[in-house]
Amino acid sequence: KLKESPQLSFACGQFKACNMNKHKPWIETSYHGVITENMDTVLLDPPLVALDKDAPVPYAGEICAFMIHGQEAPFEAVVLNKTSGEGVLRAKGLVDCETQKEYTFLIQAYDCGAGANGVSWKKSHKAVVHIQVDDVNEFSPVFREAIYHAAVTEGKIYDSILQVEAWDQDCSPQYSQICNYDIVTSDTPFAIDRNGNIRNTERLSYDKQLHYKIMVTAFDCGQKRATESVAVHIDVKPVCKPGWQGWNKRMDYEPGTGSKQLFPKMHLETCDGPLSAVRAMVELQTSHIGKGCDRETYSEKSLQKLCGAASGSTDLLPAPAASTNWTASLLTDSGRDSDLIFRFDGRQASNVPERVVPQNLTDQFTIATWMKHGPSPGLRAEKETLLCNSDKTEMNRHHYSLYVHNCRLVFLLRRDFTQVDTFRPAEFHWKLEQICDKEWHYYVINVEFPAVTLFVDGVTYEPYLVTDDWPIHPSSIDTQLTVGACWQGGEVSTPRFTQYFRGSLSGLTIRPGKIETQKVISCLQACKEGLDINSLESLGKDIKFHFNPAQSVLVMEGEDLESVNTAMGKVSYINSRQFPTAGLRRLHITTTVQCFGEDICISIPDIKAVVIVLPPSEPRITIAGSDRLVKPSADLRGATGVAPFKELRITSTVTKSDGVPFSAGTVHRPGVLEVMHNLDYCDVLVIGEELNPEHESLEIHHSSLIGKHLDATNSTSGISIYGVDSMAHYEEALRQVRYRNWRPATLTNRRFRLTCSELNGRYTSNEFNLEVREEALPIFPFLFHPFSTHTLYSPISTTATPLSSSATVVIVICIAALVVIVVLGIYRLHSTHLDGSKREEDGAKDPKMDWDDSTLTITVNPMEVREHYDETEEEEEEDEREVKKEGKQKSKLEWDSSSITY
């Protein structure tokens, strides 16, 4: 009825009444109200009052109505006094807090217009009204479950057996929250807290009472009690010990038996707990074995060859020897099985000889090492240098270095000014936990300047910080490569080592010109022992498992208990080394069990067990063959020389005890068994004087090594063939070793000693000695008087031989025919004849002795011949005349004894 219409406008104009209503009503801009649910009156703040400046003019200064805008608002505004403009806000019906807690709408005031008929009314601005519905505690708490069940083990006090939960439909926190629970049943050994957790107040006995039923009620924060209590049933079970059962604390592992199950009969006892998931973690602890686990202990060069690494690497920490004596002063911790480890305590370092240092690293090179390092002592740790190339004298410039500082690994590389003349990357920093965890890790730095990548145990890490620097200006100052510290040769009064390293290193190598591949890096640091699972295909579909990269940790998860038991029975230990490191490996198993609706319901004790790797049967490597090689001078001088080890044979045997399985499924009786395994080097050493390169050589052609994992080096001291390969391949290679002497006349006897090794000297062969001699010229029988058998034991005849001149002629003819025989051989042969003539002249003093020309019978005792031969060899240098005296027997020994019949 307040809406303006054309008729009202017409009336306003006809009676000129509209001019009397000049102002619009005024109300507040906003109102806040509160209404209690199930009531109708709204308490507004401020009160609902409308004012009009036309007051006290009748109608125009009076308030006739309030209008609410918002069709969904269940409220109405009523004018209580037109003159004062007072009004009231009330609900049209019952409001429910649980349905809607708040309302917001607009309100507007209207005056009464210019007259009694309401002509020319005016309206105020719209004000915002916020109404909050106050809650009434009308609902009682209700439990979420109709009944609760739980089970306890006798004799145990629980912090919480189970938790009951109730809820309330009221809308306000005061009345909807549950503030208290109470056990209605009297005289029960249970208590309940305000969160609904039920616990036992005394130890329960299965024999005394095996079941309890208690009634529980709940109260909301308005102290309204639940209309219905809930029943809680608690079963008491006899004592049960959850945990793994059917396992042995010790498992013996026989080398060479492959994968062996650790827990074939193990099962998890859960004491009938309602399990929803089981998670077991098996950890094999091998940090005390070698460099973190059982790895191949071959030399670094042999390992690189075995893994297919690029050639040309330099071993900066080789085993101390005559040619690698710079590591002799360093502390070594050989550990086990010839695994060479150098230990640095902050006082040791070594300068690498200049002949060993790679002269040009180029833009691509690799530095690799095993390192074990812990936190540095002191608040301000100093740099600890593994490898440093610095000025030898005058200045103190570091050209490249690898050091640890505050558990950060830093690689410094300063390029020469001739290579680059701009500000370029110079220091590369990595911050890793492995650097100071006191465990062995394998570090490889691949440099592809300006990029540098670090591999730790086969995992790639990019530097977190790279700093730039200017290149180093060229100079004529020599550099010094140092291991275990950095050499400071300049800017100090006395050159010295500085920035000592504290830790252990092994296998420190540098390879210029090439970088290592991920495959090679993984091979070089691979563990040869770890956990395994037999027959993966037979695992249950719900079983999930995960190995860490080293296969020392296995995590297994499953929902079905039987599937988990089956899977754990298939967990195995495997060591693929033919000759593993013997000793103890610890096993640690942790288990968590999840129940329905709970995180962890029962506690499973950890398992601690051990795997004992039994000592492998030590192989006896035997080198056999002919120990003497007698060849004509023509063969020795030939283009290919002679093959001293052509008849070589390498075998290896082990002694097995009764009942010990030697291979899977086979048990051998006690005895010696031939085995096949690899070798990693064979050395041929020259005994006595070193080879004279002016007229003799010992070498092997590179073609003899093609298709094998072998390489070779030689010197005047001998030849070394190295690389991890089969005994058969080593046999083939050694048979191709050639000895050549193009001045055989200077050859008295050349002796060689051959030894072979497996696992870097852990197992070595016998020392096989071989002698190479030049075949002597044959001495014909007609050069000497025939004599009877008894004359060997009678005084020599004094009669001068009439054949002396004839023998001389024959010798001269032989010399003329064999012009290739050197002068020394002719002289010795001639001297032998003259000495024999002299003996005959001396023997002529006895008239009883005379030659018997009728028969020629020679009887030689081979044992006497060998004794005479050995005595002759020992006395040769002291008394040349004694050598000539035995000349006849000696020439006989120089023939091939296989063709002589005694």
Side-chain angles (χ1 to χ4, degrees), residues 313-350:
S313 68
T314 300
D315 190 354
L316 301 179
L317 284 176
S323 60
T324 56
N325 57 1
W326 71 89
T327 60
S329 62
L330 300 179
L331 298 177
T332 59
D333 182 7
S334 298
R336 300 185 180 187
D337 307 329
S338 305
D339 195 2
L340 184 62
I341 294 170
F342 291 89
R343 182 164 50 86
F344 297 85
D345 61 0
R347 295 190 296 269
Q348 287 84 25
S350 180

Side-chain angles (χ1 to χ4, degrees), residues 782-783 802-815 830 833-834 837:
F782 61 82
L783 297 179
L803 297 177
S804 296
S805 59
S806 301
T808 304
V809 173
V810 171
I811 291 174
V812 172
I813 294 174
C814 292
I815 294 173
H830 185 66
H833 168 69
L834 292 179
S837 299

Side-chain angles (χ1 to χ4, degrees), residues 737-756:
V737 172
R738 313 296 295 187
Y739 171 71
R740 184 176 176 231
N741 190 320
W742 45 96
R743 293 182 188 173
T746 64
L747 178 66
T748 54
N749 61 332
R750 173 57 75 188
R751 296 179 181 178
F752 300 101
R753 176 172 296 155
L754 169 63
T755 56
C756 292

Side-chain angles (χ1 to χ4, degrees), residues 581-815:
T581 302
L584 177 147
R585 275 79 163 161
R586 299 189 185 277
L587 284 167
H588 187 204
I589 303 178
T590 56
T591 310
T592 56
V593 176
Q594 185 175 349
C595 297
F596 292 100
E598 300 181 32
D599 291 335
I600 299 177
C601 52
I602 59 175
S603 177
I604 305 298
D606 290 355
I607 284 182
K608 293 183 178 180
V610 294
V611 176
I612 303 296
V613 178
L614 301 177
S617 299
E618 296 193 2
R620 181 179 181 182
I621 305 170
T622 304
I623 304 175
S626 176
D627 60 356
R628 181 174 302 170
L629 181 68
V630 180
K631 289 290 183 180
S633 59
D635 291 350
L636 294 169
R637 286 197 311 268
T640 59
V642 297
F645 307 105
K646 190 173 183 180
E647 299 177 2
L648 184 75
R649 177 84 171 95
I650 303 176
T651 58
S652 183
T653 56
V654 295
T655 302
K656 305 299 290 187
S657 59
D658 191 13
V660 176
F662 178 66
S663 60
T666 305
V667 178
H668 295 262
R669 294 182 177 180
V672 177
L673 303 169
E674 186 171 344
V675 294
M676 301 301 295
H677 58 76
N678 291 328
L679 301 176
D680 59 350
Y681 69 81
C682 285
D683 289 340
V684 180
L685 299 178
V686 176
I687 301 176
E689 294 183 3
E690 294 188 354
L691 298 175
N692 189 336
E694 293 184 358
H695 61 260
E696 60 182 337
S697 66
L698 183 70
E699 59 189 8
I700 182 172
H701 198 274
H702 179 72
S703 61
S704 303
L705 305 178
I706 295 177
K708 304 177 180 68
H709 294 291
L710 299 178
D711 209 340
T713 58
N714 66 337
S715 67
T716 57
S717 299
I719 188 169
S720 177
I721 302 174
Y722 61 89
V724 182
D725 212 332
S726 64
M727 292 187 293
H729 278 178
Y730 267 95
E731 272 187 6
E732 294 175 11
L734 287 167
R735 290 171 181 173
Q736 299 300 317
V737 172
R738 313 296 295 187
Y739 171 71
R740 184 176 176 231
N741 190 320
W742 45 96
R743 293 182 188 173
T746 64
L747 178 66
T748 54
N749 61 332
R750 173 57 75 188
R751 296 179 181 178
F752 300 101
R753 176 172 296 155
L754 169 63
T755 56
C756 292
S757 155
E758 164 65 333
L759 295 173
N760 201 22
R762 178 178 173 185
Y763 305 116
T764 56
S765 69
N766 61 308
E767 293 183 350
F768 177 74
N769 296 316
L770 180 141
E771 178 183 353
V772 178
R773 295 182 62 87
E774 177 191 8
E775 184 178 64
L777 287 175
I779 300 178
F780 301 102
F782 61 82
L783 297 179
F784 304 95
H785 278 293
F787 54 89
S788 59
T789 303
H790 70 276
T791 60
L792 289 173
Y793 308 100
S794 304
I796 300 177
S797 172
T798 57
T799 306
T801 175
L803 297 177
S804 296
S805 59
S806 301
T808 304
V809 173
V810 171
I811 291 174
V812 172
I813 294 174
C814 292
I815 294 173

Side-chain angles (χ1 to χ4, degrees), residues 418-453:
T418 55
Q419 296 172 309
V420 60
D421 58 357
T422 59
F423 215 50
R424 299 301 297 274
E427 275 192 343
F428 304 83
H429 300 247
W430 294 271
K431 185 178 181 180
L432 304 173
E433 293 181 358
Q434 295 93 318
I435 297 171
C436 288
D437 66 358
K438 297 183 180 181
E439 300 290 344
W440 280 105
H441 299 284
Y442 188 55
Y443 298 82
V444 178
I445 294 179
N446 273 350
V447 178
E448 289 182 289
F449 193 79
V452 176
T453 303

Side-chain angles (χ1 to χ4, degrees), residues 55-82:
V57 177
Y59 303 110
E62 296 176 347
I63 303 301
C64 277
F66 291 95
M67 181 70 70
I68 291 177
H69 298 276
Q71 299 298 323
E72 298 180 358
F75 298 95
E76 62 180 0
V78 179
V79 178
L80 297 178
N81 189 319
K82 292 183 179 181

